[in-house]
Amino acid sequence: MDHEDRIALFLDYENLALGARDHRGGMAFDFRPIADALAERGRVVVRRAYADWSYFDEDRRMLTRSHVELIEIPQRMGASRKNAADIKMAVDAVELAFEREYISTFVICTGDSDFTPLVHKLRELNKRVIGVGVEKSTSALLPPACDEFLYYDRLEGVDIPPTRARRARPARVPSPQQVEQEQVEQEPEPQAAVEEPVRDVDTLAGLVAQTVAGLQGSSGGEVTASTLKRTLLRKDPTFSESDYGFRTFGELLRHLAKQNVVELAEGPAKGDPEVSLPEHGDREEAFGLLRAVVQDLAGADGAAALSGLKNQLRRARPDFSEKKLGYRSFLQFCKAAATSGVVHLEWNADADDYLLTPQAS
């Protein structure tokens, strides 16, 4: 049990419950999806929720069944109930961080940016911080401050009610043809509930390759899948492979390996493979493409400008992406090609641009 993360959970309940109700079609808040998500991350040893519970009678019963300690913040005339709950929750979290050294992770369930200083302080105390909030009511300042941020709307087990379109009341009894037409028009209506944009797997492939390249360059050693996942979460605390249609991070890596974006090898622990970039193959092919395009643009004895060159490569090969090859920018890719002797790259002050000339193969 010693290797498990000990988790302390703090819920700014009014922010979470009202956020779910106001921005998700009046849906009732359910604690179980949060509990399930945290069970996958460690052992929850503290569960506290803060609110004036006279406003959340049914919710109080639901939370009690889940063994959540309810902290009462009663409303007082002329006082700010919200600020009282926020201050009490922040004080309790910091106090627990000092008193319970074995607690390694704090989960702050809120979308309120006022808790950003608390997140910074907990991380300063060497605690891992996970945030949870309703997507449309979460401040943009909060997720980047956390080690990981979970949107409540995307958690497994959260059912989002479909958005209903408003229709004017008919002035007269509709004909059978009108009824049939209205039914046809209403059929696509459930799709309106899907508000999240489709995530681009190609963009993700570039991010993964770029991250692996950065880890290899900084550490000089092997990069494991667990290290890669932690780094991706540092870059984007809202990252989740499920947003791209993958059940596990390992499934995502296997998909990228089939696409020749990364290579997988046996790692130091079972289920934690080593991830690396292909040494040859796609990179050499991309260098060859660059040389061919530069040669066509440069002519017999000219040079091709860097500006607009990437678009020319994409015309020749629409799926070209330097990020899939682990390069942070197109210029870095061209510099790598120059180092390999594929092209000659030189800054030209008159052109105010880099000029490339093809090298003999």
Side-chain angles (χ1 to χ4, degrees):
M1 187 180 292
D2 289 340
H3 69 280
E4 290 184 319
D5 281 339
R6 266 66 164 196
I7 298 174
L9 170 66
F10 291 83
L11 292 101
D12 177 11
Y13 196 77
E14 183 172 350
N15 180 278
L16 217 56
L18 295 184
R21 186 193 70 185
D22 295 344
H23 296 283
R24 286 303 181 184
M27 67 177 289
F29 175 78
D30 184 9
F31 175 71
R32 176 51 52 185
I34 294 178
D36 290 343
L38 297 183
E40 299 169 355
R41 289 163 171 79
R43 179 175 172 227
V44 181
V45 295
V46 174
R47 301 182 181 190
R48 295 179 185 174
Y50 298 74
D52 183 340
W53 295 109
S54 62
Y55 289 86
F56 303 100
D57 192 48
E58 290 299 323
D59 304 58
R60 181 170 56 189
R61 295 187 180 92
M62 176 264 296
L63 292 170
T64 302
R65 287 193 296 269
S66 297
H67 309 287
V68 177
E69 180 185 358
L70 306 183
I71 309 299
E72 179 73 38
I73 308 293
Q75 183 176 10
R76 295 181 176 87
M77 295 299 295
S80 174
R81 172 169 49 92
K82 177 185 179 302
N83 286 344
D86 291 359
I87 294 170
K88 173 64 174 169
M89 182 169 149
V91 169
D92 285 358
V94 173
E95 182 181 35
L96 201 66
F98 280 104
E99 290 185 348
R100 304 287 189 269
E101 292 185 2
Y102 57 82
I103 295 179
S104 57
T105 301
F106 282 75
V107 179
I108 309 298
C109 297
T110 184
D112 193 342
S113 62
D114 289 347
F115 284 97
T116 304
L118 170 63
V119 173
H120 289 315
K121 176 55 66 175
L122 291 172
R123 295 185 68 183
E124 183 182 325
L125 295 171
N126 197 29
K127 304 298 183 182
R128 173 174 160 81
V129 181
I130 300 175
V132 181
V134 177
E135 188 164 8
K136 286 191 174 181
S137 64
T138 295
S139 167
L141 299 175
L142 190 59
C146 301
D147 293 295
E148 182 179 4
F149 197 91
L150 306 175
Y151 285 118
Y152 174 75
D153 328 49
R154 302 182 190 175
L155 294 179
E156 187 70 27
V158 177
D159 296 322
I160 307 298
T163 304
R164 295 184 178 180
R166 293 184 178 178
R167 291 191 297 115
R169 180 178 296 177
R172 56 187 174 81
V173 177
S175 66
Q177 291 82 2
Q178 289 174 321
V179 172
E180 181 179 356
Q181 183 178 359
E182 286 184 1
Q183 290 176 344
V184 171
E185 291 175 351
Q186 292 175 17
E187 283 180 1
E189 187 174 294
Q191 296 180 3
V194 182
E195 299 177 359
E196 296 179 20
V198 177
R199 301 296 178 108
D200 186 2
V201 179
D202 286 340
T203 302
L204 173 63
L207 174 64
V208 170
Q210 177 184 331
T211 303
V212 172
L215 289 170
Q216 287 179 330
S218 60
S219 66
E222 62 183 25
V223 178
T224 61
S226 58
T227 301
L228 176 60
K229 176 69 178 285
R230 286 195 298 269
T231 307
L232 289 172
L233 283 171
R234 286 193 205 99
K235 289 185 173 183
D236 179 10
T238 68
F239 169 79
S240 173
E241 60 274 1
S242 63
D243 291 338
Y244 300 87
F246 300 99
R247 294 170 296 179
T248 64
F249 191 62
E251 184 179 325
L252 164 63
L253 291 179
R254 289 191 291 274
H255 171 79
L256 296 181
K258 288 180 181 178
Q259 303 297 318
N260 205 31
V261 176
V262 297
E263 288 183 348
L264 301 179
E266 186 176 350
K270 185 178 180 181
D272 193 13
E274 182 181 344
V275 187
S276 60
L277 295 177
E279 291 297 327
H280 301 289
D282 279 5
R283 188 185 68 169
E284 302 305 323
E285 183 181 344
F287 284 170
L289 175 66
L290 177 64
R291 178 198 284 122
V293 171
V294 168
Q295 196 162 11
D296 289 343
L297 294 175
D301 54 357
L306 180 69
S307 300
L309 184 58
K310 183 175 179 178
N311 290 335
Q312 297 297 327
L313 264 69
R314 283 185 168 170
R315 287 194 182 97
R317 199 174 92 182
D319 64 340
F320 170 79
S321 171
E322 74 280 358
K323 290 183 172 57
K324 282 186 181 180
L325 303 171
Y327 299 104
R328 297 181 181 275
S329 65
F330 185 65
L331 174 59
Q332 186 187 25
F333 166 74
C334 291
K335 287 181 177 179
T339 302
S340 299
V342 175
V343 295
H344 176 71
L345 179 69
E346 187 176 10
W347 174 259
N348 187 289
D350 294 334
D352 195 26
D353 199 354
Y354 283 98
L355 297 181
L356 294 88
T357 52
Q359 298 288 86
S361 55

